[in-house]
Amino acid sequence: MRGTQHQITTSTPIDAPPPLNASAHALFLDLDGTLVEIQDRPNEVHASADLRALLRRVSDSMSGAIAVITGRSLGDLGEIIGGAVDYAAGVHGFEIQRGNRISRDQIEISLLEAARADALRLLDENGLAPLVEDKHASLALHYRQIPDAEEAIQRIARDVAATHGLRVLQGKMVVEIIATARTKGHAVTVLMAAPPFLGRKPIAIGDDRTDEDAFTAAKRMGGFGILVGEPRPTGADYVLPSTSAVALWLAQGQSS
């Protein structure tokens, strides 16, 4: 299964982004590594009460034109941010939430079930024990705690995906076998097509390679991307150094 490929022009941004304009911009924010710090285990991540309150204030000031676009499931996201925003996308665009309504892409679940069985068997045969996260539409293999196993785990993921006609998505110390062609860029495009996002300039903010599709989509629609973390070649136009810098940028947008 292959997603649509776009020509991406990359550079290494060094400039901070312009101020948030609550009346003109639309925001699409990654979660892990962007709004909250990455933890060794996904279930150790929590959003503070201050962050939840900030997201709600930003949402109110932007008439709701803010969404969290994450590789996590919407169920996990809801537990972390507690409904601080009304729009979101989970599993890299497989799930899209608009208020109380959630839509999901069609997937060949039998292909993923067979791939899951093969991946678990091969990991066991090779003595590898990554943290395995089942997201229904994808199987994520986290190896942050066993970094020396990166090459072997990635090879198994690639081989299994190729065997079953699925695709591989690489993140920070995680590789996913995914049964949907949707991307974060798809989620940005879908949400931008209707109120409260329609007619605004999209800003995509993220830290990982999985956010590059969101950067591309935002730029295609007249907006821009913001990379979080150390500068590197990216499709984003600006950079913020940390999750705390993202929170400060959001907060400053409320007072501008």
Side-chain angles (χ1 to χ4, degrees):
M1 179 182 294
R2 303 290 181 189
T4 302
Q5 298 296 310
H6 298 286
Q7 185 66 35
I8 300 174
T9 301
T10 63
S11 61
T12 302
I14 59 173
D15 295 329
L20 173 65
N21 185 327
S23 62
H25 289 156
L27 278 178
F28 300 93
L29 297 139
D30 174 45
L31 180 67
D32 296 88
T34 298
L35 288 173
V36 295
E37 293 291 340
I38 294 174
Q39 302 296 331
D40 287 342
R41 295 180 177 275
N43 61 4
E44 294 174 346
V45 170
H46 302 284
S48 67
D50 286 346
L51 176 59
R52 293 185 185 195
L54 173 61
L55 291 173
R56 176 46 61 187
R57 290 197 305 274
V58 173
S59 179
D60 290 344
S61 71
M62 299 183 70
S63 301
I66 174 175
V68 176
I69 311 294
T70 178
R72 290 178 178 267
S73 70
L74 289 177
D76 280 352
L77 176 64
E79 291 183 3
I80 293 169
I81 67 171
V85 300
D86 298 320
Y87 296 86
V91 196
H92 311 287
F94 166 70
E95 308 174 294
I96 296 181
Q97 177 180 343
R98 304 169 182 86
N100 293 324
R101 183 164 62 94
I102 295 176
S103 58
R104 292 182 171 87
D105 190 23
Q106 296 296 314
I107 61 171
E108 291 290 342
I109 194 65
S110 60
L111 292 179
L112 189 59
E113 288 175 347
R116 181 187 297 111
D118 281 355
L120 294 177
R121 174 180 56 79
L122 288 169
L123 290 169
D124 183 64
E125 289 177 357
N126 286 272
L128 301 170
L131 190 157
V132 178
E133 183 184 9
D134 193 335
K135 304 180 185 179
H136 178 68
S138 76
L139 188 72
L141 309 177
H142 297 266
Y143 47 85
R144 184 171 297 276
Q145 294 181 318
I146 47 171
D148 291 345
E150 177 176 13
E151 183 178 348
I153 291 171
Q154 288 190 9
R155 183 180 64 251
I156 288 172
R158 290 193 301 268
D159 290 348
V160 169
T163 297
H164 296 279
L166 303 175
R167 68 186 179 109
V168 168
L169 197 60
Q170 180 64 51
K172 287 182 177 178
M173 306 304 289
V174 60
V175 61
E176 290 188 52
I177 302 168
I178 190 164
T180 172
R182 300 307 188 194
T183 67
K184 291 185 177 183
H186 165 76
V188 171
T189 302
V190 167
L191 289 172
M192 280 295 295
F197 302 92
L198 185 65
R200 290 170 172 260
K201 178 182 288 189
I203 301 173
I205 309 179
D207 70 308
D208 207 347
R209 279 176 281 182
T210 60
D211 299 303
E212 293 294 331
D213 290 304
F215 298 154
T216 301
K219 293 176 72 170
R220 189 177 65 246
M221 290 181 282
F224 56 85
I226 302 173
L227 175 69
V228 181
E230 291 293 327
R232 60 167 173 79
T234 174
D237 305 271
Y238 302 99
V239 63
L240 288 169
S242 63
T243 58
S244 58
V246 173
L248 179 59
W249 182 80
L250 291 171
Q252 289 174 336
Q254 302 307 289
S255 57
S256 61

